Amino acid sequence: MTTKNVSVSTANLSTKQLMNEKKSAASIKNVFEKMVPAVLFLFAAVSVLTTIAILYTLITEAVHFFQRVSFTEFFTSTNLKPLSQNPSFGLLPLLSGTLLSTIIAMVVAGPIGLMAAIYLSEYASDRVRKLLKPMLELLAGIPTIVYGFFAFTFVTPLLRSIWPEIELTNILSPGLVMGIMIIPMVASLSEDAMNSVPNTMREGAYGLGATKLETAIKVVIPAAISGIVASFVLAISRAIGETMIVTIASGSTKNFSFDVTESMQTMTAYIVEVSSGDAAAGTTVYYSIYAVALTLFTMTFLMNLLAKKIARRFREEY
Amino acid sequence: MAVQTQLYAVPAIEKKESKNKNEVEKESIFETKSLNLWYGETQALKNIDLKIPEKSITAIIGPSGCGKSTFIKTLNRMVELIPSVQTKGDIHYKGSNILSKDYSAEALRTDVGMVFQKPNPFPKSIYDNVAYGPRIHGIKKKSILDDIVEKSLKDAFIWDEVKDRLKENAFGLSGGQQQRLCIARCLAIEPEVILMDEPTSALDPISTTKVEELIQSLKKQYSIVIVTHNMQQAARISDQTAFFLNGEVVEFGKTEELFTEPKDSRTMDYINGRFG
Amino acid sequence: MQYIDRLQVRKRINFRLRLNSILKYVFLGATLSGLVVLAILLIRTVSQGFAWIDWNFITGHLSMDPEKAGIMGAILGTFWLMLVVVFFTLFLGMGAAIYLELYAKKGRIHSLIQTNIANLAGVPSIVYGILGLTVFVRLMDFGSTVLAGGLTLSLLVLPIVIVSSQEALRAVPQTLGEASYGLGASKWQTIKSIILPTALPSILTGSILALSRAIGETAPLVVLGIPALLIPFPGGFMDRFTALPMQIYYWTLDAALVEEYANLAAASIIILLLMLFILNSIAIYIRNKFQHRF
């Protein structure tokens, strides 16, 4: 013990001195310390700049478009003929395509996703859930271009063999495939909502002799309803913004129609078609993609906002 | 209960008594003057006036939530890490007010080291844990770092257990070893003061004994302030004790006096186990 | 007086129990249905494309002739994109996360940035394409180059990287930071040598997952005007390029004209999925091997 303490006192001076010598560089270090948060703030500001840039480009270019095409024409005309001699720029054909594909997708993803959520949250054992959930997430990890290929080369021929009236490109097939793609989104968000329903509520129902099914449908789902609705709204927003599946499998016919067997174009597919075509900068056609994109951005933004509002209400309940 | 306290306290005191008579004149290393502290709206420390003598062990005791942890975290300005904290009053360390804006918290913490409630080694090797402090203060030379690491680990009574595995991750050590490593890490920058925030509360009795022996041996070189919820521990190892209650110092004095003849009835109630 | 008819209740119980067990399997079926589709997709694609994958296909140049066409240019293009995306998102994402978690005072600016990041994550990828087209391709005049494509994809996945890095930083116990401050370390020293290294495995895992999202993206690249048939291999950031998903897209469209193109698309999908699989495996490996448990 004594020897140890001796070593302390002798070395004491040297280390302390060494450390003090280094303090001369302290003022440079201080400036650096103050600069770091400033630089990192700029990094964080990039995300805000991105939003500003998106809004700025969409709005300024869309303004050019609306100087040439009236609001009324854009939002009420059922004619979209951007490249004809006498062009017309009605949004409704694209809107009908987007709406229809979204509805079809939700008809698939809504019930299946919700049922999967019920199974995972109410019926599955921990082991099964831990196995199934990541597998379901795989669906969301497949690039959309792969789904597009699948819709075009497999689902459409399959549908045509059952229902020959279906056109080679149609809105039904990409809608269905899009539905499959967003199942995990609905399932995992709804499951989160159902999982956060306190177990005491379930026990209350079981204690009255309710089956798991009755508990799930009459107790858990009503309690988690805002979370479930929010997951649906987010899924709709996702479907509206989905691009490649519809671009590949639904063709580019600008029809104002609600016939699922027909080829139709969505807003996203229109943007792809025009921007990958030869529309020269400065033409009305070129500016039209900004007007469409602004509409698309606004729709998805409002949906996401709505989902957040609904979800927040659900969190307040417990 | 009172009897029990005596059983533990008395033997320790008897040894100290002779020593303490010569050491009454010790200079104070910390002096707080009407120190007040708020977490947002709630006041956690109220008008603390304490003189903490150097080269001795000062224990801070009191029930949970009495402000004892807050108090020692104020001594090295660790409380500043909590966003809503506000302080008022002075703390003099070796004569200068550490709560003033010009006093750098980094410089203060280089002089005033700290050991925490739960052992918190970095997810690095044993060697790198100890060398971390010297390195951030600019010591880069391998030979010097080697010396510092060895000396600090020896001073922390852990060298023999780890000398053959300095490159291994510190997480592989037992809880008691981790805590002694954390003390070694603190010694490596050769502080004047070591603050200890319930350093044995997460340890088993055998590890606790080892750490207590270590603390006793360190007092020759360092001024030690230790927060403890364990009154026997305070009685066993400390020279003077402060009893905190609801953010105030109820009583401060020589450990043996405070435990045998407390002046305040609340101190009496506490050391007799009536609350807390 | 008795309101509950025990006999009636007992009769109904059998029906209720049967309904419960039937629907249990219906729900299980729903859960599995997506997986069945996924299995069909994978089996079909592999069986269609596997025969087309040979050395020539992997290393060759693109060609109009399906028999001669090779995918190396697209693979290289995807690699170049990855370089740009890794560089920008890792620095920007980590930096932004450090700022938000460790420096920013919780106040209006903090919540503004945080809300903004959440909103950006919900913006359709094609909108990023339009942003890239306007800002990088035209305004900055990069043209349809690797840099323009990489920057566009970086902005697209940046919110994901920021959010996952924030979670990683939050998971580092506060006691580690306290220990470092207690030794007199400054804030940046503590972040640089304690907090960041501890969080790094999780940050990398999140970033690799975001990267795999980026290299599968097609829509923004189409909008940027990435060409369909590009013979030379890209060799730098300012070169024109094509990427795997782009090639899949064009070959799928061309399948209507020449059927073999569909097989080429399937073969390219196999390669793309293989790359994603490798990336994800690396991410999982890093998480399991290096993540500290506290």
Side-chain angles (χ1 to χ4, degrees):
Chain A
M1 266 254 301
T2 44
T3 51
K4 276 172 200 157
N5 287 325
V6 171
S7 74
V8 172
S9 51
T10 50
N12 211 344
L13 288 165
S14 63
T15 312
K16 208 74 209 189
Q17 274 172 346
L18 279 169
M19 276 166 41
N20 282 333
E21 273 169 29
K22 305 286 174 184
K23 272 187 190 148
S24 50
S27 62
I28 304 165
K29 212 179 90 184
N30 268 342
V31 176
F32 185 70
E33 280 293 329
K34 289 212 176 84
M35 269 169 53
V36 167
V39 172
L40 294 180
F41 170 75
L42 291 181
F43 283 16
V46 168
S47 74
V48 180
L49 276 179
T50 309
T51 309
I52 294 172
I54 288 175
L55 284 173
Y56 181 78
T57 39
L58 292 186
I59 291 171
T60 51
E61 305 286 69
V63 163
H64 287 293
F65 174 77
F66 286 115
Q67 280 166 353
R68 302 172 193 196
V69 177
S70 71
F71 266 112
T72 349
E73 184 187 335
F74 185 64
F75 286 109
T76 60
S77 166
T78 56
N79 273 323
L80 179 60
K81 295 195 186 92
L83 295 170
S84 86
Q85 291 286 45
N86 185 16
S88 61
F89 290 94
L91 179 70
L92 289 181
L94 301 181
L95 215 53
S96 73
T98 297
L99 205 65
L100 215 52
S101 61
T102 304
I103 291 172
I104 297 167
M106 286 313 291
V107 166
V108 175
I112 294 183
L114 185 57
M115 286 195 282
I118 296 174
Y119 182 77
L120 290 173
S121 124
E122 305 300 310
Y123 288 94
S125 67
D126 263 1
R127 216 165 51 95
V128 172
R129 182 175 28 232
K130 275 197 189 116
L131 185 76
L132 283 182
K133 243 191 138 173
M135 284 174 73
L136 212 53
E137 304 287 339
L138 276 183
L139 277 175
I142 302 282
T144 57
I145 183 76
V146 177
Y147 283 111
F149 173 82
F150 182 64
F152 186 60
T153 63
F154 179 72
V155 178
T156 300
L158 187 72
L159 290 173
R160 275 161 67 89
S161 66
I162 305 166
W163 189 0
E165 288 96 277
I166 292 182
E167 291 175 25
L168 203 61
T169 52
N170 61 80
I171 201 76
L172 179 62
S173 159
L176 293 175
V177 173
M178 215 151 78
I180 301 285
M181 183 188 75
I182 52 183
I183 288 173
M185 191 169 181
V186 175
S188 83
L189 291 175
S190 294
E191 199 225 328
D192 287 346
M194 290 162 76
N195 261 336
S196 57
V197 172
N199 251 332
T200 49
M201 280 197 180
R202 287 187 187 86
E203 283 157 10
Y206 293 145
L208 291 171
T211 61
K212 280 202 165 171
L213 177 69
E214 289 154 350
T215 309
I217 290 177
K218 294 187 181 142
V219 177
V220 179
I221 291 182
I225 193 69
S226 3
I228 293 169
V229 173
S231 81
F232 278 46
V233 176
L234 278 178
I236 292 172
S237 158
R238 179 75 202 278
I240 292 174
E242 175 41 44
T243 310
M244 292 324 289
I245 305 178
V246 280
T247 304
I248 289 180
S250 177
S252 54
T253 318
K254 293 151 187 70
N255 260 345
F256 180 65
S257 153
F258 288 94
D259 181 350
V260 296
T261 63
E262 282 180 25
S263 164
M264 259 183 230
Q265 195 166 42
T266 62
M267 296 194 286
T268 50
Y270 176 78
I271 297 172
V272 168
E273 189 202 354
V274 172
S275 59
S276 61
D278 298 318
T283 59
T284 314
V285 187
Y286 171 76
Y287 287 129
S288 71
I289 62 171
Y290 291 92
V292 174
L294 186 60
T295 316
L296 177 71
F297 177 84
T298 312
M299 285 171 73
T300 53
F301 178 75
L302 290 179
M303 296 299 253
N304 293 344
L305 217 63
L306 179 69
K308 212 173 289 167
K309 277 254 155 62
I310 298 171
R312 196 171 301 148
R313 228 191 64 203
F314 125 85
R315 239 175 264 129
E316 278 163 12
E317 276 174 37
Y318 315 111
Chain B
M1 200 51 204
V3 181
Q4 208 182 12
T5 314
Q6 294 259 331
L7 275 179
Y8 281 98
V10 170
I13 292 160
E14 278 178 342
K15 262 195 273 164
K16 260 179 243 159
E17 209 140 6
S18 53
K19 238 194 298 176
N20 274 344
K21 279 191 179 124
N22 308 324
E23 290 171 358
V24 174
E25 299 301 313
K26 268 184 178 164
E27 299 254 335
S28 61
I29 188 133
F30 269 117
E31 195 174 341
T32 69
K33 287 179 183 160
S34 36
L35 175 68
N36 286 280
L37 183 142
W38 291 265
Y39 290 118
E41 298 292 303
T42 43
Q43 187 165 9
L45 295 178
K46 296 168 193 159
N47 281 319
I48 310 282
D49 290 291
L50 272 185
K51 281 185 184 178
I52 295 171
E54 63 171 5
K55 303 264 163 17
S56 65
I57 300 175
T58 306
I60 314 273
I61 60 168
S64 332
C66 68
K68 55 188 194 296
S69 265
T70 303
F71 176 70
I72 72 160
K73 283 186 171 161
T74 318
L75 295 181
N76 67 346
R77 287 175 46 185
M78 288 293 271
V79 281
E80 284 174 7
L81 299 178
I82 305 158
S84 60
V85 158
Q86 278 191 311
T87 49
K88 230 173 115 184
D90 291 350
I91 300 177
H92 288 279
Y93 165 68
K94 288 178 148 183
S96 37
N97 184 11
I98 59 163
L99 290 185
S100 84
K101 278 233 153 47
D102 325 324
Y103 207 107
S104 112
E106 284 82 28
L108 173 68
R109 290 171 195 154
T110 312
D111 280 359
V112 182
M114 187 157 202
V115 176
F116 298 82
Q117 203 163 353
K118 257 180 72 188
N120 54 355
F122 301 129
K124 297 170 180 283
S125 71
I126 293 168
Y127 183 96
D128 286 340
N129 260 279
V130 183
Y132 177 75
R135 274 184 182 141
I136 57 168
H137 292 294
I139 296 175
K140 297 259 151 61
K141 230 175 143 189
K142 177 94 172 61
S143 58
I144 299 175
L145 285 174
D146 285 349
D147 287 348
I148 294 175
V149 169
E150 181 174 345
K151 178 175 73 71
S152 308
L153 288 171
K154 276 180 177 162
D155 290 347
F157 297 174
I158 193 179
W159 172 251
D160 292 333
E161 291 158 69
V162 300
K163 65 178 178 220
D164 299 323
R165 44 174 176 150
L166 292 175
K167 294 287 165 215
E168 279 173 35
N169 196 300
F171 280 24
L173 299 173
S174 74
Q177 289 172 323
Q178 286 187 7
Q179 192 62 302
R180 277 178 285 144
L181 174 69
C182 290
I183 294 175
R185 182 174 68 187
C186 180
L187 298 181
I189 55 167
E190 292 169 359
E192 305 267 333
V193 184
I194 302 176
L195 306 174
M196 298 185 167
D197 188 4
E198 305 197 15
T200 60
S201 66
L203 304 183
D204 62 85
I206 294 171
S207 305
T208 300
T209 314
K210 281 191 182 163
V211 172
E212 281 183 14
E213 279 172 16
L214 168 58
I215 295 171
Q216 294 267 27
S217 87
L218 291 174
K219 119 182 174 185
K220 296 177 194 96
Q221 294 294 323
Y222 306 93
S223 316
I224 293 169
V225 184
I226 178 169
V227 163
T228 175
H229 61 282
N230 178 336
M231 277 175 287
Q232 280 88 42
Q233 184 172 61
R236 275 198 300 270
I237 64 175
S238 72
D239 301 304
Q240 51 278 322
T241 299
F243 171 54
F244 273 58
L245 187 63
N246 299 328
E248 285 173 282
V249 181
V250 172
E251 196 168 343
F252 179 56
K254 289 219 170 69
T255 299
E256 67 268 28
E257 285 167 16
L258 190 126
F259 276 93
T260 48
E261 321 157 34
K263 296 185 188 71
D264 197 294
S265 64
R266 290 171 293 177
T267 316
M268 173 84 94
D269 288 345
Y270 182 69
I271 60 180
N272 289 340
R274 294 222 181 95
F275 61 90
Chain C
M1 170 149 179
Q2 228 174 344
Y3 291 102
I4 308 287
D5 181 351
R6 292 276 153 196
L7 206 70
Q8 204 65 33
V9 168
R10 208 151 296 154
K11 265 190 204 154
R12 264 182 55 79
I13 269 188
N14 279 332
F15 166 74
R16 289 167 52 210
L17 285 177
R18 204 170 312 136
L19 191 67
N20 180 46
S21 58
I22 291 171
L23 277 181
K24 175 181 171 177
Y25 289 104
V26 172
F27 293 154
L28 175 62
T31 314
L32 295 177
S33 64
L35 297 177
V36 171
V37 176
L38 180 67
I40 295 173
L41 186 157
L42 291 177
I43 292 168
R44 236 199 77 89
T45 312
V46 171
S47 65
Q48 188 178 359
F50 192 73
W52 285 75
I53 298 182
D54 55 22
W55 191 244
N56 252 344
F57 177 72
I58 292 174
T59 58
H61 286 263
L62 290 168
S63 163
M64 294 286 279
D65 181 356
E67 295 291 338
K68 285 187 191 156
I71 196 75
M72 197 57 194
I75 294 176
L76 286 175
T78 292
F79 270 117
W80 278 103
L81 281 180
M82 282 165 72
L83 280 184
V84 179
V85 173
V86 166
F87 180 79
F88 281 100
T89 55
L90 211 57
F91 276 91
L92 285 177
M94 221 149 65
I98 291 172
Y99 177 78
L100 291 170
E101 281 305 305
L102 302 164
Y103 279 105
K105 289 203 177 69
K106 304 278 176 285
R108 197 173 296 165
I109 293 181
H110 182 268
S111 69
L112 174 88
I113 297 178
Q114 206 71 73
T115 318
N116 177 64
I117 289 169
N119 285 333
L120 275 181
V123 173
S125 61
I126 189 144
V127 174
Y128 284 95
I130 292 187
L131 176 70
L133 172 72
T134 319
V135 176
F136 300 130
V137 176
R138 296 188 188 226
L139 193 68
M140 296 186 175
D141 207 17
F142 293 158
S144 304
T145 53
V146 170
L147 187 62
L151 286 173
T152 306
L153 294 179
S154 299
L155 290 183
L156 173 70
V157 296
L158 194 56
I160 309 174
V161 178
I162 296 177
V163 170
S164 70
S165 303
Q166 277 185 284
E167 277 164 15
L169 290 171
R170 227 173 288 147
V172 176
Q174 275 189 339
T175 54
L176 289 188
E178 283 174 4
S180 172
Y181 291 127
L183 292 166
S186 66
K187 187 150 188 167
W188 177 241
Q189 281 174 328
T190 303
I191 292 171
K192 186 186 65 180
S193 41
I194 302 297
I195 298 179
L196 202 52
T198 310
L200 203 59
S202 307
I203 292 179
L204 286 180
T205 304
S207 303
I208 293 173
L209 293 179
L211 183 66
S212 69
R213 159 93 197 272
I215 64 168
E217 274 295 337
T218 319
L221 297 183
V222 181
V223 176
L224 290 182
I226 307 307
L229 187 71
L230 187 82
I231 311 290
F233 291 160
F237 296 111
M238 296 312 281
D239 281 0
R240 286 165 68 77
F241 73 105
T242 184
L244 276 173
M246 292 303 302
Q247 221 43 57
I248 298 168
Y249 171 57
Y250 287 126
W251 274 334
T252 308
L253 288 185
D254 293 346
L257 309 172
V258 183
E259 254 180 67
E260 278 90 352
Y261 281 135
N263 303 334
L264 289 179
S268 316
I269 287 176
I270 296 173
I271 290 174
L272 178 64
L273 290 182
L274 212 62
M275 283 176 76
L276 294 180
F277 178 76
I278 292 170
L279 276 180
N280 281 275
S281 307
I282 294 173
I284 291 167
Y285 175 78
I286 290 178
R287 185 171 60 201
N288 293 345
K289 173 98 191 200
F290 297 104
Q291 206 167 51
H292 305 283
R293 309 225 175 276
F294 296 98

